[in-house]
Amino acid sequence: MGIIPSASDFLYTEAGFRFTIEAGRAINACLATFTVYWVYKTGRDFYGGKAGLAAALIMACNPLVILYAHIFKPEMALLLFMIVSLYHLLKYLYPDPTVNPRRSLLFASLFFGLALACKYNAFPMLAVFLLVLVLPRPMTAATAGNNGNNNGNNTGNNHLNTNAKNGLPGSPNPPKPSRFGRFLEKKWAAVPAGVLAGFLAGAPNWLVNPIANIKLLLVQYSPSTGMLFRQFQERAIHDIYGAIFLDFLQCFGAVMLGLFLIALFTGFFTRSRRDLLLSVYVVSYILVFSVFGYYASRFALPVFPAAALLIGKLLFHDLEILSHRKSRWNLRKLWKYGIYAVWALLAVYGLVFTFGNIKTFNLLKTQSQRDRIANYRGEHNL
């Protein structure tokens, strides 16, 4: 899964060449498709179906995603596991009243562990898990109902009855929790255990010989003789920020990049914890890799799903909320016609980037040999 270098080296040998070009492409194409679906699902469940569709379109047209969907490397598996982990973290913050939120936190930990098994690029997400762990316990519908008026109390009582049937916290007569249930309640223990379980499931070679793997990891990523030192030239922080900005500009375009920056900035000043979570997710990646001193375009891949979600949220969720505010202008009527302009913008964006990807990556040519996809990656050190 990318931890042992020989696993990647195999893909470039004569024996692994055919698998890399033929079967490997099919696997990564499927992983990319699942990733786009999970971006849509995350946007739909937390910001509405229109925001989910917009985020999925932006993600599907991303040139770097298209590139790695055609090369058998761990980036697509990493991307899929990270968006699934992010989805369950959001589910933990905004739980379904019929589901124990601790289960969502455990699933988020498991998929984060799988992402770490794919590639080290996942480790900046630790900042997001720390944020989730220090945030107050999510308010369930039962708690919210009991803090309201009579109508709220009735709603709360309904959810208490629902929780009682499902054995959830907040029920009037909850059943005695099992050992696993008591373990889930200790989130500071459940999260590391879930991450470790996911990591070992994705990289079982660490179970066979952990000492050798730790030594190899230290050698490969040492600052003086490691793989990063051999492959990349160490860069100043401002150079890395510039490279990240250019990658976002190339992969999203000027208009979508502007919308992304607006959504990222406003995410820190809203009362919504889900917006804060997405913004912290993006900023933590940028800060970690800028301080790290090494950068390649593939390092930014894990940020793209969150960026697409922030753009979709701004275009539909935030603008619709804004249209319902009282103002001297009739914002609701303006939004009624403005939504067509938003869909037109997305349609033009999708067409421009689709034709650009076809031209750049020669997507209409399907023979199983080294083509412009592999050459493009080598020329641009991706």
Side-chain angles (χ1 to χ4, degrees):
M1 298 293 284
I3 298 298
I4 298 296
S6 58
S8 296
D9 294 341
F10 163 76
L11 301 178
Y12 295 99
T13 62
E14 184 177 356
F17 176 79
R18 188 174 182 84
F19 175 82
T20 304
I21 298 300
E22 294 182 357
R25 279 187 174 184
I27 293 173
N28 263 20
C30 290
L31 292 174
T33 304
F34 291 139
T35 300
V36 172
Y37 166 75
W38 274 95
V39 170
Y40 162 72
K41 179 178 174 62
T42 305
R44 180 199 65 188
D45 288 358
F46 297 102
Y47 298 112
K50 295 174 184 176
L53 284 174
L57 172 67
I58 294 168
M59 194 67 183
C61 294
N62 192 299
L64 204 59
V65 175
I66 297 294
L67 173 64
Y68 277 96
H70 288 73
I71 303 174
F72 190 64
K73 294 286 286 181
E75 273 73 16
M76 277 298 104
L78 167 72
L79 208 57
L80 175 61
F81 292 142
M82 296 208 65
I83 184 59
V84 176
S85 178
L86 187 62
Y87 172 84
H88 285 292
L89 281 178
L90 291 170
K91 273 289 187 184
Y92 170 72
L93 292 179
Y94 293 87
D96 187 317
T98 62
V99 178
N100 190 332
R102 302 297 189 189
R103 293 184 182 273
S104 298
L105 187 61
L106 182 62
F107 280 125
S109 306
L110 286 169
F111 281 101
F112 175 52
L114 286 170
L116 280 174
C118 291
K119 211 163 188 182
Y120 64 91
N121 294 29
F123 78 90
M125 197 177 181
L126 285 171
V128 182
F129 273 88
L130 289 175
L131 175 66
V132 170
L133 289 175
V134 300
L135 283 174
R137 183 172 180 170
M139 182 181 294
T140 62
T143 308
N146 289 329
N147 289 335
N149 51 22
N150 292 334
N151 186 30
N153 285 328
N154 292 334
T155 305
N157 291 333
N158 291 336
H159 283 297
L160 285 175
N161 294 332
T162 302
N163 289 348
K165 293 178 182 179
N166 292 281
L168 296 176
S171 59
N173 298 302
K176 185 177 180 180
S178 62
R179 290 184 179 180
F180 181 70
R182 291 195 298 269
F183 178 75
L184 282 180
E185 291 299 318
K186 302 175 182 178
K187 60 182 181 181
W188 287 96
V191 169
V195 172
L196 180 62
F199 177 79
L200 294 178
N205 51 326
W206 280 71
L207 280 173
V208 178
N209 199 340
I211 303 300
N213 279 279
I214 292 173
K215 290 181 179 178
L216 184 59
L217 183 68
L218 294 175
V219 171
Q220 285 296 318
Y221 299 109
S222 64
S224 57
T225 59
M227 182 174 63
L228 292 177
F229 180 81
R230 296 196 307 268
Q231 290 186 0
F232 308 106
Q233 182 179 1
E234 190 171 1
R235 304 167 70 172
I237 292 179
H238 63 274
D239 289 337
I240 294 178
Y241 284 148
I244 293 173
F245 179 82
L246 291 176
D247 282 336
F248 269 81
L249 183 62
Q250 180 183 11
C251 293
F252 289 95
V255 175
M256 292 300 174
L257 176 59
L259 294 173
F260 162 66
L261 293 175
I262 294 173
L264 179 66
F265 179 77
T266 57
F268 285 101
F269 299 98
T270 61
R271 296 180 180 179
S272 172
R273 291 187 292 180
R274 60 192 175 197
D275 298 353
L276 177 63
L277 187 73
L278 290 175
S279 296
V280 169
Y281 176 89
V282 172
V283 171
S284 63
Y285 263 87
I286 295 175
L287 288 178
V288 166
F289 283 113
S290 62
V291 174
F292 203 47
Y294 299 94
Y295 179 75
S297 294
R298 63 178 178 267
F299 292 177
L301 264 175
V303 180
F304 289 165
L309 287 169
L310 285 171
I311 296 171
K313 173 190 79 77
L314 178 66
L315 287 175
F316 289 100
H317 181 267
D318 293 352
L319 289 180
E320 186 174 3
I321 291 177
L322 184 63
S323 69
H324 287 80
R325 291 188 176 182
K326 292 182 179 180
S327 173
R328 66 176 67 180
W329 298 287
N330 192 347
L331 295 179
R332 186 171 297 185
K333 185 176 181 180
L334 185 63
W335 171 245
K336 182 180 179 180
Y337 297 101
I339 192 172
Y340 295 106
V342 173
W343 282 119
L345 171 65
L346 290 171
V348 172
Y349 174 85
L351 289 173
V352 170
F353 271 79
T354 297
F355 285 114
N357 289 329
I358 290 173
K359 182 179 179 181
T360 301
F361 302 124
N362 202 22
L363 296 180
L364 297 180
K365 202 172 184 180
T366 58
Q367 73 273 22
S368 298
Q369 61 184 13
R370 287 193 184 275
D371 55 16
R372 292 175 64 184
I373 287 284
N375 295 335
Y376 187 89
R377 184 180 187 278
E379 292 169 1
H380 294 79
N381 193 27
L382 296 175

